Amino acid sequence: MSEKRRQLPPLYNPHGLEQKWYPIWEKGGFFSYKKAYHKEGQPTKTFSMVLPPPNVTGSLHLGHALNHTIQDILARYHRMKGEITLWVPGTDHAGIATQNVVERQLHAQGKSRRDFSRQEFEKLIWRWKEESGGMITQQMRLLGESVDWDYERFTLDEGLSFVVRRVFVRLYQDGLIYRGERMINWCPKDETALSNIEVEYKEVPGKLYFVKYFLENSDDFLLVATTRPETIPGDEAVAVHPSDERYKNFIGRYVIHPLNGKKIPVIADHAVDPQYGTGVVKVTPAHDFLDFEIAERHKLPLTNIFNEKAVLNEKAGPYKGLSREKAREIIVEELRDKGLLTLTKDIRHNVGHSYRSGVAVEPRLSLQWFVKTKPLAQLAIEAVQEGKTQFFPKRWENLYFDWLQKIEDWCISRQLWWGHRIPAFYCQTCAAMHVLEEDPTSCPSCGSSQIKQDEDVLDTWFSSALWPFSTLLGKDKTTVLCQWPNKIPNSKELELFYPTSVLVTGFDIIFFWVARMMMMGLYFMGDVPFRHVYIHGLVRDEKRQKMSKSKGNVVNPLEKMEEYGTDAFRFFLISILPEGKDIVYDESRLKGYQAFCNKIWNTARFIWMNQEESYRPNDEACYELKDADIWILERYNHTQKMATKALDNYRFAEYTQLIYDFFWKDFCDYYVEIAKLFLRDQEQDTVRYVLNRTLENSLKLLHPVMPFITEELYSYWSRPQDDLIIVSSWPTVFSLKEPEAAIKRMELTLKLTAKIRQLRHDLQIPPQQKLSFGFIPKEGYSLNNYHKKILIGLCKLQDVFDSKPEGKAIRTAVEEGELYLLVTKELNLAKEKERLEKELSHLRKGLEHVQQKLSNPAFLDKAPQELVAQEKEKEESYLAKMKSLEEILQEI
């Protein structure tokens, strides 16, 4: 232990601290649960989380920064509480995204993946992953994330890949995975199937085309309304509602196809909306989900007219080789020339787009692999209904239930080369198909060596759905996987950490990820994957718009961390986090939290400059606590209890606000200023002890959200080298005997301080001008010399009397008595009266404007709740200021 404390530099430099401390934490193994697990008298309580794995292609964006900071707060907090804590990091192989990155590189060289074998292309991606895929994990270190890097996982690791394969085989054997030809959403750009929830619907402008379909051997026709004339070559019927009186006589007859002349039936189906268009629709079974269902009921042919690029194929006849857009243009012109196009209407309608490529999807009949989700979904619904997993905020359970109750089978096959290849093998000799855990050398049915594996890979979300338990089963398949899932392996990690304690995620992936992890965890582990789910909103710009590159409003968190410091940036993100709502990014507040870091630094420097370098607070000494000491320790106790409660209940913004208010307002603005009055008096030992202990415990309260500055300042006390704040204990409360009387006296003193300062402000009395006040307390209240000294020091007073001062005085009332300001010759009351009346008039106008807004029902209904709350705060502020000025004017 060093004898003397090092000198704290005069200026706070956040970047030096970040570069200093993270390598010490990581190399020292301070993120490892084994630090706590191997301690004597090891704790029995555990805490665990899995990091939602970011794409290996990604870089840290604002959503990551928010999500990861929340998790880091929880990990550091529970670690300080003495719990065995595991936070598992990892990255996702991100099938489409990663393959696209490498394909773009090849394109720049004039090549494509088709120039390589599948194995060669996979090697190219693995090489890219090793060279460039670790960027986000380095950025996570910059953010200060205390993940256990020894447990870092990648979704294509050997162990995870084996789990994925075994899960697929087991689900197939249990009849929950099947292969079939069904309508799916197809991305023409990425040339792969998409699951329904990977489709984003956007309202876009379009046209409704009205086309004549003439009846066979007749001059009569049915007028069909369609938004997609390019699909007319695939039409196999026209349909009407069976109870639509307009068309009852046409049901069962035939119409002539307007392009190829073949006859197609007029059918009746309850799925037709009589109110849409003309009440007559064309049926294109292979290119519309509803049409496919109609075709199945009426046994219509399924004519697929598009290839993988959404280009018309040979079944489209003369339109072969045309893109969707060009085919629409040519077909519309042809219909117009034939006199078959009677009308077009401009409309706005919802069109599905790939959530990744942004291209309009093509509904397409395709042979794919699917998971039967309804049996799995029921398990997931019941688990939340029974309270095995709880959502915070609870209202997100409604969205979870709604999706699971309406769930459809999940299309899990993707037409890519990068990912978990589907373990289905086809015999070229006997045509048998086998789904196997190990690659076969021959067909299990006929013994032929002519076998071929399925070309498709699994949806990335399939492996992500296994993340909470696959990450704990082992890095390679030989470790603990041999008996799973028939028998849960005897894994220390599974025993300690599954189910995990909490999942932290955005509401936008409740469908993609949360529900699927619940289904898989319950089916394969017999228990939920996490006890709690904390849902946070999305970060929007100050105008409450979604951030996007096209709008130019994207914020790079790494740039802000560089500009303001990581601690300030982390504190800012959490402080603006409303409970379960979207977050509004307001950079002015970030600047304020940079100032907060400076305040913490300067406060520590002031305390240590006023004591011996070797000073350490002695808990064994007997200190005589004065009222201010008792008051600040009780304020700390309150903050500690409320901050602990806030973290336990995932109220993160409340946690940061509590500590901010305590440290800046209670500790710095009041107690440190009071301490300055007594650091040279006989009370100095007590004051010094309280300053140090309050600072130390405040740093511990702050550490989960501000890890770097707190670790640096904590290191300046004389202590063993490995005694770091990251592994210190969560602070406890001080034991105070009957503090009520002292707190009552201090609250009066501070109330008088605030009143005097307000009077000085309202009357525009300069700070350097000394004032005198008299205070006549009501029964049960008094000001002794100790409290008078505090008032004189905090308010820059000349004197405080126990009675009304001689001469002219302005009276103001407080609940505990009457306060009198002695009017001196420097104070021109007539001039002040005129100025205050003008200010009061200005305030009344402001109040009137605010109240007009708040009395407008349209504003209250349509404006964001945050904006309404701001206007209500303005109203309260105006009323409080007006009351203060009116009291002074009345006295004048």
Side-chain angles (χ1 to χ4, degrees), residues 814-840:
V814 292
E815 187 182 338
E816 297 84 358
E818 292 185 333
L819 189 65
Y820 293 88
L821 166 63
L822 181 63
V823 176
T824 60
K825 60 183 179 181
E826 293 90 353
L827 192 57
N828 186 330
L829 291 183
K831 187 177 178 182
E832 281 303 310
K833 181 181 178 185
E834 182 183 349
R835 185 188 64 77
L836 290 172
E837 284 174 341
K838 284 182 180 177
E839 188 175 344
L840 197 56

Side-chain angles (χ1 to χ4, degrees), residues 260-423:
N260 59 32
K262 73 176 182 180
K263 66 177 186 176
I264 55 178
V266 180
I267 60 177
D269 196 281
H270 284 89
V272 178
D273 180 3
Q275 305 302 315
Y276 179 76
T278 61
V280 185
V281 296
K282 67 190 199 68
V283 181
T284 317
H287 298 288
D288 184 274
F289 285 93
L290 184 62
D291 291 6
F292 176 75
E293 292 174 9
I294 293 173
E296 282 197 317
R297 285 192 287 271
H298 295 270
K299 297 184 170 44
L300 299 175
L302 307 174
T303 306
N304 191 340
I305 63 168
F306 288 114
N307 67 14
E308 291 82 358
K309 295 181 183 293
V311 171
L312 279 76
N313 61 25
E314 63 283 351
K315 291 184 180 178
Y319 312 105
K320 178 185 176 182
L322 298 178
S323 68
R324 293 179 291 184
E325 296 75 20
K326 191 65 179 176
R328 177 180 300 185
E329 183 184 324
I330 288 173
I331 287 171
V332 165
E333 193 60 37
E334 185 177 332
L335 292 170
R336 187 176 284 118
D337 290 344
K338 288 181 176 181
L340 299 177
L341 183 66
T342 64
L343 177 69
T344 61
K345 278 186 182 178
D346 290 328
I347 60 168
R348 294 192 67 82
H349 61 151
N350 287 322
V351 175
H353 291 72
S354 165
Y355 85 108
R356 187 167 297 281
S357 71
V359 170
V361 299
E362 187 60 52
R364 188 168 185 258
L365 190 65
S366 181
L367 186 62
Q368 302 288 342
W369 289 88
F370 297 86
V371 174
K372 285 183 183 176
T373 49
K374 287 194 184 296
L376 300 171
Q378 191 55 40
L379 293 173
I381 290 169
E382 289 170 2
V384 174
Q385 287 174 337
E386 293 167 7
K388 293 177 181 175
T389 292
Q390 295 175 280
F391 278 73
F392 294 82
K394 188 175 176 62
R395 68 174 180 276
W396 288 112
E397 290 179 5
N398 296 329
L399 190 65
Y400 171 85
F401 288 138
D402 184 64
W403 184 71
L404 285 173
Q405 285 158 358
K406 297 175 182 175
I407 199 167
E408 296 177 4
D409 286 357
W410 173 17
C411 177
I412 55 170
S413 44
R414 298 291 180 270
Q415 288 62 53
L416 304 169
W417 282 359
W418 175 246
H420 297 281
R421 195 166 175 182
I422 289 174

Side-chain angles (χ1 to χ4, degrees), residues 74-132:
L74 289 170
R76 290 175 184 271
Y77 167 60
H78 285 276
R79 202 178 284 122
M80 291 176 78
K81 286 175 72 179
E83 297 171 17
I84 302 173
T85 299
L86 175 65
W87 183 18
V88 177
T91 47
D92 193 290
H93 66 279
I96 294 175
T98 307
Q99 182 163 314
N100 282 347
V101 167
V102 176
E103 288 201 76
R104 281 197 296 270
Q105 290 180 349
L106 292 175
H107 182 72
Q109 301 167 18
K111 299 176 183 177
S112 80
R113 68 172 158 128
R114 303 295 178 188
D115 297 326
F116 301 85
S117 70
R118 182 173 189 141
Q119 290 71 27
E120 289 170 338
F121 184 71
E122 286 176 342
K123 283 181 182 178
L124 287 176
I125 300 182
W126 275 109
R127 187 187 309 158
W128 174 88
K129 189 258 180 187
E130 296 307 315
E131 292 172 358
S132 308

Side-chain angles (χ1 to χ4, degrees), residues 490-505:
N490 184 22
S491 158
K492 182 172 68 179
E493 285 75 18
L494 277 177
E495 179 187 343
L496 288 171
F497 302 119
Y498 191 91
T500 61
S501 306
V502 61
L503 175 77
V504 178
T505 188

Side-chain angles (χ1 to χ4, degrees), residues 68-81 143-144 146 567 570-571 574 647 652 655-656 659 697-708 710 725-726 728 730-731:
H68 294 193
T69 299
I70 293 169
Q71 291 179 79
D72 193 45
I73 288 171
L74 289 170
R76 290 175 184 271
Y77 167 60
H78 285 276
R79 202 178 284 122
M80 291 176 78
K81 286 175 72 179
L143 190 62
S146 61
D567 284 322
R570 285 167 57 116
F571 197 93
I574 301 305
L647 286 178
F652 298 99
Y655 153 71
T656 54
I659 303 175
N697 283 10
S698 297
L699 293 178
K700 289 182 178 182
L701 288 178
L702 278 163
H703 177 72
V705 67
M706 286 184 161
F708 295 107
T710 53
I725 199 169
I726 191 174
S728 67
W730 186 246

